[in-house]
Amino acid sequence: MMKKMTGAEFIAETLKSKGIDHVFYEELAFYFTTKQLEKYGIRNILAHSEEAAGYMADGYARTTNKTGVCMSQAIGSANLAASVHDAYLGNTPVVALTGFKPDSGFQKNGYQESDHRAHFSGVTKYNQQTVDAQQLPHLLRQCFREASTGKPRPVHLNVIGYAGELAEKAEMRDEFIPEPEFGSFPAKRTGADAETITKAAEIMNAAKQPVIVAGRGVYFSDPEGKALYKLAAKGDIPVATTPDGKSVIDETDPLWAGVVGGYGMDCANQTTTNADLVIYIGSMISDQTTLNFTAPSKGTQILQIDIDGGELGKNYAKTYGIMGDAKVVMEQLEEAICKTSRNEWRAKVEEFVAKDLARWDAIATSGDGPIQTGYLCKTFSEMLPDNAIISSDTGWSATWASCTFRTKPTQKFMRAGGSLGWGFPAAIGAKCGNPDRPVFAFVGDGAFYYHLSELETAVRYGIDVNVILNNNSHFNQCIPYVAEAYDGDEEGYATYKNKVEFKPTNFAALAEAFGATGIRVTEAAEIKGAIEKAVSIDGPVVVEVITDPTCTPVAAFIEE
């Protein structure tokens, strides 16, 4: 006989069956479901904003390969959609559940009501609504299928009831079907046909100066980088990564060629520019990762591996595309290609890397003056535990992290898809999913202001996350743009400073006020001891490092 379930029980059973152990939400959202989740030992993390809850679900998903889940009441749907935007940019599977008023309040000036599906329309892969409570089982199952198969991306389900309660309280007539495989990703792994692999192998064997560019698809499909490394080693092919692909290869290995793109390194951009074949694996080839499609140039031969057939050849016409799961296809290619030595090309790439690392090392000196951001990054990188998880915001935080942190496959690095303020809440989500691993958020003060209140969340739940705060009291990346607008305008200088400069804030003291541990660092020699202390403390810690606001990262370009 079919077990009778309420909608709340159906949601809770679904999450339990898929191995999901944390849910992130904002107040007055799916309260019958959260009660049921507690019975199953699934932790409900109440955030201070829907946006932070969505970022937490994103960080949880990226570091566990499980689908993240976030929830809000009706009025919070627009805020939740804003956070889901970053999961969309980052190709992260997140299920967002929102409540909505039924027909009695919809389209009748209902209090706090709007068209929620419109908010999510441009930032989700699947976007549906339970007009009737009995649609919940079917649509919820489909949400998890859509999120975890093909290109992973967020999905949205609008559930009837202001807080989803009309569906939660209704007795479901559908049978519960667990489908645990759709709780993690890639849910289904597909390979390429023999003819396609043979042709791709011929292209790779013929190349004199090939390079692999590994993206977030490798990070998700082959997180330890074993299939990637076997392929690269057999073909003697240098490996560059996108910022999202960092940590899939040991960045001290001779095969490593740097990080590509605008948030990347000159050595990697030089490598892709000089290559006669660029092999993109699990990477959305974009303006950011190619320096506006100049590295590589438009005429370069591309071999592209992607789970989404629509991406193949999308931005480079001279592309041979392979549709399939990154790990499966890499294993197929490793079997098919010839064992090759490309000593001359590899030596050339190693020269690019050595020269670029020297440029980065030059700005990582401590000196006698204000703390240099490069020195902070180098010191932090050298102290990272082998199993560390690091999150970074977008902008120059992403540049500093991508180019100065030397990571390896036993670690995990993730950065915002585009939303400033993402790094800290994402680190909280990552720690929830990885309680036995040290988790660090590397953020600037401008980003930390966004969701500073989530320190209270971390304290309330005992979430042991470490914040390495680069406090220069500026939106540093904005300075060149704003300065250009006010160039030569003496009267406008004060306005210019107000656009990028903050009043001094003692974030360590604020952390203490929230009940966390705050450590303030004003001398370069104090950084190492402060980080060591942070790692030894139970509970959230903010290591606030006061840095020189004139510091800028080495610009990504192609050196002639």
Side-chain angles (χ1 to χ4, degrees), residues 197 200-201 204 231 305 322 329-337:
I197 292 297
M204 291 176 66
L231 174 65
I305 302 166
I322 308 176
V329 174
M330 285 190 292
E331 289 173 340
Q332 289 178 298
L333 286 173
E334 192 269 328
E335 286 287 329
I337 64 171

Side-chain angles (χ1 to χ4, degrees), residues 308-321:
D308 182 359
E311 291 292 333
L312 302 177
K314 185 175 182 179
N315 291 326
Y316 279 82
K318 196 176 178 181
T319 295
Y320 186 78

Side-chain angles (χ1 to χ4, degrees), residues 184-448:
S184 59
F185 63 100
K188 303 291 182 182
R189 293 183 182 270
T190 57
D193 61 83
E195 184 179 348
T196 298
I197 292 297
T198 299
K199 176 63 176 176
E202 290 173 356
I203 294 171
M204 291 176 66
N205 290 335
K208 302 298 184 185
Q209 299 187 164
V211 61
I212 292 171
V213 176
R216 64 172 65 92
V218 178
Y219 177 93
F220 288 149
S221 179
D222 183 33
E224 296 181 357
K226 292 180 179 178
L228 171 68
Y229 195 81
K230 286 180 70 176
L231 174 65
K234 185 174 182 180
D236 202 23
I237 303 171
V239 177
T241 74
T242 65
D244 300 289
K246 265 181 79 74
S247 73
V248 297
I249 183 172
D250 187 332
E251 293 182 330
T252 63
D253 192 281
L255 281 176
W256 179 66
V259 180
V260 298
Y263 286 166
M265 305 171 70
D266 184 40
C267 58
N269 294 326
Q270 281 183 289
T271 301
T272 57
T273 303
N274 283 270
D276 60 359
L277 173 66
V278 180
I279 306 161
Y280 285 99
I281 308 177
S283 171
M284 292 174 64
I285 305 174
S286 68
D287 58 342
Q288 176 63 264
T289 56
T290 62
L291 286 184
N292 288 318
F293 306 106
T294 62
S297 64
K298 281 288 191 178
T300 305
Q301 175 67 58
I302 305 296
L303 178 62
Q304 186 177 3
I305 302 166
D306 202 283
I307 194 69
D308 182 359
E311 291 292 333
L312 302 177
K314 185 175 182 179
N315 291 326
Y316 279 82
K318 196 176 178 181
T319 295
Y320 186 78
I322 308 176
M323 181 177 169
D325 174 76
K327 182 180 179 181
V328 174
V329 174
M330 285 190 292
E331 289 173 340
Q332 289 178 298
L333 286 173
E334 192 269 328
E335 286 287 329
I337 64 171
C338 298
K339 176 73 175 174
T340 308
S341 293
R342 294 183 168 94
N343 295 332
E344 186 175 339
W345 168 233
R346 288 255 283 101
K348 188 175 183 178
V349 172
E350 287 176 11
E351 286 180 14
F352 293 155
V353 172
K355 186 174 183 179
D356 203 19
L357 291 180
R359 294 165 67 225
W360 282 97
D361 285 343
I363 62 171
T365 56
S366 60
D368 298 323
I371 298 174
Q372 301 299 294
T373 304
Y375 183 76
L376 163 62
C377 292
K378 183 178 181 180
T379 305
F380 175 49
S381 176
E382 291 171 349
M383 298 179 67
L384 281 171
D386 285 344
N387 63 339
I389 296 173
I390 313 101
S391 73
S392 166
D393 267 289
T394 188
W396 275 356
S397 286
T399 303
W400 283 114
S402 295
C403 300
T404 62
F405 299 169
R406 295 290 159 260
T407 58
K408 49 192 170 185
T410 58
Q411 299 165 331
K412 276 186 176 290
F413 173 83
M414 58 179 182
R415 61 108 188 182
S419 303
L420 198 63
W422 176 91
F424 175 45
I428 291 176
K431 184 63 180 181
C432 287
N434 302 268
D436 298 326
R437 298 181 67 171
V439 176
F440 299 87
F442 176 74
V443 299
D445 53 310
F448 196 48

Side-chain angles (χ1 to χ4, degrees), residues 455-473:
L455 271 174
E456 191 280 332
T457 303
V459 170
R460 179 166 21 103
Y461 290 102
I463 300 170
D464 186 8
V465 63
N466 299 292
V467 178
I468 308 301
L469 179 60
N470 176 31
N471 184 4
N472 52 33
S473 297

